Amino acid sequence: MSLKFYNTLTREKEDFSPIDPKKVRMYTCGPTVYNYAHIGNLRAYVFTDILCRTIRYSGLKLKQIMNITDMGHLTSDADSGEDKMTKGLLREGKELTLKNMRALAEFYTEKFKDDLRTLNVEMSDGMYFASDYIKEDIELVQKLEQKNFTYRTSDGIYFDISKVSDYGALWSGKRNWNKEGARVEENSEKKNPEDFALWKFNKKIGFESPFGKGFPGWHIECSAMGIKFLGEQFDIHTGGIDLMTTHHTNEIVQSECATGKKPFVKFWMHSEFVDIGGAKMAKSEDNFFKLSKLSEKNINPISYRFWLLMASYRTKVNFNWEALEGAEIALKRLYNLYIGFGSTVGKIELKYQQKFKEYLEDDLDTPRALSLLWNLIKDENVFPADKKATILDFDKVLGLGFKNLKEEIISKEIIKLIEEREEARKNKDFKKSDELRDKMNSLGYEIKDSSGGYKINKI
Ligand SMILES: [Zn+2]
């Protein structure tokens, strides 16, 4: 095992080893469930899935948890704008109550889980609603209060960043980077533009607390849940790059100040945006769409996963339908080739497995892993059955669904013909083998032989 990951905290690719050698502990920022996820949001979870699968493939145990934000997240990601859950309730014409808020959250959480399932994203060990951990949030804010890191304004309890010297660790201490904080300074009671809410008062709707009725700040929920489930210090924290400047920065500072332990998290890992037409895909823009749109267009949604894996998770990708359709054609070809290798699963080619592991362990280099997969398929020195075994092994990380492929792409009848033809060729009955090939042609498939096996394509 020689895992290397790019760490946003140090801006370097670093050797990774877990704090507890027996188990990697990872926290993933989950969605705010006030609406459907768009395919840009889902990239962060495909990235995290590849990360989790790679860690396990390397032979390490992993505990990964994810929060589901069902309250307290404002549209600006900082402390201004509307509350997203409230916005969701208003949009759906529902009365503003905590019960309705929870019901809304549960509805969109199920939709989110459906999306993850569709994209072969393995569910994390624990997905927890933030609103179930209010007690932990309150305790954490109280700890910060006791240590004098907070102050009170008319609308909430705030963290005072002037009390710390290293605010903004994720951007190497360049404090004025926080454009979000600087731009939205409508709240004149804040002492510093980057100060952020730990608790926001709300007279109409909210939870009771020693500070007053309201909601915990969005950032505090992740610190509280991370500490609760993974401890005061843990190994990896993931999320989309949009979470880096405000959300994760604030998580770090408040956790470290509350516990007195540094670093809160050893590795911060972020996936890049999905652009569409040169702009970031976002719920607030009009340029987003749901995963179900792919099925509507008759595209297998797993093609989206495949397309994402063609680029490094740290590269911005530009979505367009032509690119996705291209990915789908390539994936279908892979499926067909795989099925064409027959029904016997042989042994894993260790030489390929070694390389595959090396590429993934090198900061999840999925583009190189995919080109290795194509090389394996083309390699005439590898038996088809062994190719099959190796592909299935690769798929433990890639998650493209080879295991469940049977008649989906090629019918049983064709598979039977392929096997009969193999048998005929083994017995040097070339007449029969040619007849079977013609029969396959008449059913719309062509088979081409090579010394390492054969390829099957739809005509
Ligand atoms: Zn979070």
Side-chain angles (χ1 to χ4, degrees):
M1 194 247 338
S2 56
L3 288 163
K4 278 190 210 74
F5 298 136
Y6 181 85
N7 188 354
T8 312
L9 204 54
T10 57
R11 305 217 165 255
E12 268 173 39
K13 212 194 278 182
E14 292 177 50
D15 288 328
F16 173 82
S17 59
I19 301 167
D20 171 359
K22 289 194 283 307
K23 196 173 250 181
V24 178
R25 286 166 292 156
M26 185 197 297
Y27 188 94
T28 297
C29 278
T32 302
V33 282
Y34 72 112
N35 204 339
Y36 294 97
H38 62 66
I39 63 164
N41 302 133
L42 294 169
R43 184 182 192 190
Y45 305 103
V46 172
F47 145 65
T48 305
D49 186 49
I50 294 289
L51 176 60
C52 291
R53 286 169 180 256
T54 298
I55 288 170
R56 292 195 170 107
Y57 191 79
S58 289
L60 289 169
K61 285 206 165 59
L62 170 73
K63 179 179 184 183
Q64 183 217 5
I65 73 142
M66 190 194 288
N67 65 300
I68 302 285
T69 299
D70 58 348
M71 51 159 203
H73 184 183
L74 304 184
T75 43
S76 76
D77 279 6
D79 302 306
S80 67
E82 298 166 273
D83 170 69
K84 290 188 176 185
M85 294 304 292
T86 303
K87 203 174 152 190
L89 283 176
L90 292 175
R91 185 191 61 232
E92 302 196 357
K94 306 249 169 68
E95 201 191 329
L96 209 56
T97 65
L98 285 179
K99 205 171 152 228
N100 285 346
M101 208 175 251
R102 180 61 176 243
L104 184 83
E106 283 173 2
F107 177 82
Y108 286 111
T109 300
E110 284 314 306
K111 300 297 165 200
F112 172 68
K113 286 184 180 173
D114 286 346
D115 284 348
L116 297 191
R117 250 176 246 121
T118 306
L119 288 173
N120 283 349
V121 171
E122 289 172 347
M123 299 286 174
S124 73
D125 301 314
M127 282 184 174
Y128 304 101
F129 284 111
S131 68
D132 288 338
Y133 301 94
I134 301 288
K135 186 172 83 57
E136 284 76 4
D137 296 333
I138 293 172
E139 282 168 9
L140 203 58
V141 178
Q142 283 175 325
K143 254 190 199 171
L144 291 167
E145 259 187 341
Q146 282 154 16
K147 293 188 174 185
N148 236 349
F149 287 108
T150 66
Y151 63 93
R152 192 183 181 98
T153 70
S154 60
D155 77 342
I157 306 291
Y158 282 80
F159 187 95
D160 184 350
I161 65 141
S162 67
K163 298 275 174 79
V164 288
S165 56
D166 56 352
Y167 180 75
L170 283 174
W171 359 294
S172 322
K174 290 174 195 157
R175 251 169 70 166
N176 294 330
W177 268 51
N178 196 346
K179 286 183 228 134
E180 187 83 53
R183 191 181 37 168
V184 295
E185 244 5 276
E186 297 139 17
N187 185 345
S188 58
E189 289 178 70
K190 274 200 209 176
K191 292 185 184 170
N192 313 287
E194 292 103 335
D195 288 352
F196 55 92
L198 299 165
W199 190 272
K200 272 232 159 179
F201 304 136
N202 193 323
K203 285 197 183 83
K204 280 184 270 173
I205 177 173
F207 297 91
E208 297 301 335
S209 84
F211 328 110
K213 188 176 165 182
F215 291 101
W218 173 42
H219 321 304
I220 203 83
E221 83 177 49
C222 285
S223 290
M225 291 164 86
I227 291 169
K228 180 177 178 71
F229 292 103
L230 302 172
E232 292 184 343
Q233 290 180 293
F234 53 90
D235 300 297
I236 305 177
H237 198 308
T238 71
I241 190 91
D242 49 331
L243 301 184
M244 181 186 82
T245 24
T246 307
H247 185 52
H248 289 165
T249 296
N250 294 343
E251 257 190 67
I252 291 175
V253 74
Q254 69 197 3
S255 305
E256 292 181 350
C257 288
T259 65
K261 289 181 186 161
K262 276 184 193 182
F264 171 44
V265 179
K266 263 171 81 179
F267 277 73
W268 287 83
M269 295 178 70
H270 295 99
S271 55
E272 257 294 349
F273 287 129
V274 176
D275 277 0
I276 182 161
K280 175 194 162 194
M281 191 179 286
K283 267 180 203 155
S284 45
E285 311 287 332
D286 279 337
N287 62 358
F288 85 90
F289 43 83
K290 298 181 277 180
L291 194 60
S292 56
K293 180 97 175 183
L294 273 58
S295 308
E296 283 167 28
K297 285 188 167 254
N298 253 330
I299 295 172
N300 181 351
I302 212 69
S303 308
Y304 180 60
R305 180 181 176 106
F306 182 61
W307 178 71
L308 288 175
L309 300 189
M310 289 173 171
S312 154
Y313 71 93
R314 291 200 286 123
T315 310
K316 206 181 266 188
V317 288
N318 216 327
F319 180 86
N320 62 68
W321 289 104
E322 293 71 38
L324 188 64
E325 279 158 13
E328 160 143 270
I329 291 166
L331 183 60
K332 274 191 181 162
R333 207 167 108 70
L334 271 179
Y335 284 165
N336 276 332
L337 288 163
Y338 171 82
I339 289 170
F341 291 145
S343 55
T344 315
V345 179
K347 58 175 181 27
I348 296 169
E349 272 293 317
L350 295 178
K351 190 178 69 181
Y352 277 95
Q353 187 186 42
Q354 187 52 41
K355 272 196 180 149
F356 182 76
K357 202 162 164 268
E358 199 183 294
Y359 296 163
L360 263 303
E361 288 183 346
D362 183 12
D363 200 30
L364 318 176
D365 195 344
T366 50
R368 272 178 100 193
L370 286 179
S371 65
L372 182 73
L373 174 61
W374 287 108
N375 290 345
L376 165 73
I377 283 172
K378 281 186 254 159
D379 191 337
E380 300 193 339
N381 297 313
V382 181
F383 290 114
D386 296 344
K387 288 184 179 176
K388 203 156 176 160
T390 314
I391 293 171
L392 284 176
D393 182 64
F394 286 8
D395 211 36
K396 286 180 193 160
V397 179
L398 300 176
L400 297 171
F402 283 100
K403 202 172 158 191
N404 303 320
L405 281 182
K406 282 268 173 336
E407 305 83 51
E408 256 182 60
I409 309 298
I410 301 177
S411 70
K412 262 191 184 152
E413 192 186 358
I414 296 292
I415 291 171
K416 199 163 155 271
L417 289 173
I418 294 169
E419 285 172 354
E420 278 177 29
R421 184 171 168 277
E422 275 297 277
E423 191 60 33
R425 279 168 61 82
K426 241 191 246 165
N427 300 330
K428 306 224 182 290
D429 186 349
F430 296 113
K431 192 169 164 267
K432 190 171 177 195
S433 133
D434 285 349
E435 279 169 22
L436 288 161
R437 187 191 58 204
D438 292 345
K439 196 164 176 193
M440 283 165 69
N441 285 346
S442 69
L443 291 169
Y445 291 89
E446 71 169 0
I447 187 160
K448 279 187 184 158
D449 295 301
S450 62
S451 55
Y454 48 84
K455 281 181 182 174
I456 181 148
N457 288 310
K458 253 190 164 166
I459 302 170

